[in-house]
Amino acid sequence: MPIKTFRGLIADNATDTIVLHTRDGSTGYKIVKFELMLYKPGILIQESVVEIHRTSPPAPTGIIDFSNQSLLAAGVLQGHDSSAYGWVQETIFDNVIFNQDIYVTHIDVDGTAPVNYYIELEQVKLDLNENTVATLQDIRNIES
């Protein structure tokens, strides 16, 4: 199936919406790649937490909670110029199929720097049953 890519620069304490919904909901997506990159290489300190949610999330907090059923992916980009370990990037994403808009949130817990993100989504054709399940999961997550 085709791969759709999305990239952007997201400000500190912000949310971006990636519009994916269709009229009939027959197109689904799943994350196949999720990466983060500094906005300004050479920055001294940055500790960015980026999350992807399947429903509109509250304001970013910097706390990653994998028990949150709306959470599709989480990534951390952190480092200090004086660190012996350099810069670290970790990303984890779920293998779930969704057919609605997704929301990317970011917070720099040690400053106010923006961060770049890159997401690859695999497009999946959904039959009526899969469409219904994906849509109902999103509705359930909105209500809880």
Side-chain angles (χ1 to χ4, degrees), residues 3-139:
I3 300 289
K4 294 187 92 66
T5 62
F6 300 90
R7 61 188 172 93
L9 176 67
I10 187 168
D12 180 42
N13 205 24
T15 301
D16 285 356
T17 301
I18 297 177
V19 179
L20 299 171
H21 69 274
T22 59
R23 190 180 326 191
D24 63 3
S26 64
T27 303
Y29 300 90
K30 69 179 180 177
I31 300 171
V32 293
K33 186 182 246 183
F34 175 40
E35 294 182 350
L36 305 174
M37 183 179 284
L38 290 172
Y39 165 67
K40 184 178 178 185
I43 196 164
L44 299 179
I45 299 172
Q46 185 166 353
E47 295 186 11
S48 289
V49 176
V50 179
E51 295 179 336
I52 303 173
H53 290 265
R54 61 191 304 157
T55 57
S56 184
T61 63
I63 298 170
I64 300 169
D65 179 3
F66 284 122
S67 69
N68 180 344
Q69 296 303 306
S70 171
L71 185 65
L72 292 169
V76 176
L77 179 65
Q78 65 181 10
H80 303 264
D81 68 337
S82 61
S83 171
Y85 301 107
W87 288 85
V88 176
Q89 174 187 286
E90 298 179 61
T91 57
I92 296 175
F93 50 87
D94 205 349
N95 192 26
V96 67
I97 295 175
F98 48 90
N99 65 350
Q100 302 296 317
D101 300 346
I102 58 174
Y103 304 88
V104 181
T105 65
H106 168 247
I107 187 165
D108 181 353
V109 296
D110 200 36
T112 60
V115 71
N116 289 290
Y117 63 87
Y118 175 79
I119 303 167
E120 288 184 3
L121 302 178
E122 180 180 0
Q123 230 176 352
V124 180
K125 185 72 175 158
L126 301 178
D127 64 27
L128 183 58
N129 290 334
E130 293 168 324
N131 175 352
T132 303
V133 168
T135 304
L136 289 175
Q137 284 176 336
D138 288 339
I139 291 170

